[in-house]
Amino acid sequence: PDVPNIALLGSGGGQRAMVGLLGSLVELDKAGLLDCILYLSGVSGSTWCMASLYKEPDWSTKLETVKNKIIKRLNGPAVSFTETFEKLKKYHKKDFFSLTDVWAVLAVTEYVKE
């Protein structure tokens, strides 16, 4: 009964939101409150951070590792146009393909470098 129940909501805003949510999680961890988060939700850029978290099993106990991977990726080389085009071709083969898919691939390869 003495443990707080925390819901953390991430905002949109591209790479800023991604880094902002990561910073919030790191600070909650430093304060010993990360394990109190019951709900983690976000939109747009903050979901890019969440996707990186969920790639790592037990991310809440390995937050420093996840943080370092994100920082390394963001500081790394850009995704080449060839790789971006290959991703678009992969999505184009699905049953439903729209301009949203084009925008998503271009945004993620540019800002998230994946």
Side-chain angles (χ1 to χ4, degrees):
D2 295 333
V3 177
N5 297 323
I6 298 174
L8 183 60
L9 308 173
S11 69
Q15 199 175 58
R16 289 182 317 225
M18 178 183 183
V19 173
L21 179 58
L22 180 61
S24 296
L25 291 167
V26 167
E27 289 304 313
L28 283 166
D29 190 32
K30 287 179 184 177
L33 295 171
L34 188 61
D35 289 335
C36 297
I37 295 177
L38 291 180
Y39 305 100
L40 179 60
S41 181
V43 296
S44 192
S46 61
T47 63
W48 297 343
C49 177
M50 293 167 61
S52 296
L53 295 174
Y54 298 148
K55 285 182 182 178
E56 184 70 42
D58 303 321
W59 66 266
S60 64
T61 61
K62 300 175 184 173
L63 188 57
E64 189 69 22
T65 302
V66 174
K67 179 186 85 168
N68 291 337
K69 284 181 182 179
I70 291 172
I71 291 170
K72 182 178 180 182
R73 188 177 69 241
L74 292 178
N75 286 322
V79 176
S80 72
F81 179 75
T82 303
E83 290 173 299
T84 301
F85 188 68
E86 288 302 316
K87 287 179 185 290
L88 281 172
K89 285 195 323 190
K90 181 179 94 176
Y91 287 113
H92 184 262
K93 292 178 183 177
K94 295 188 177 186
D95 291 336
F96 184 77
F97 182 78
S98 71
L99 285 176
T100 302
D101 296 302
V102 174
W103 177 87
V105 168
L106 293 175
V108 169
T109 55
E110 177 68 24
Y111 298 115
V112 183
K113 298 185 180 177
E114 275 192 335

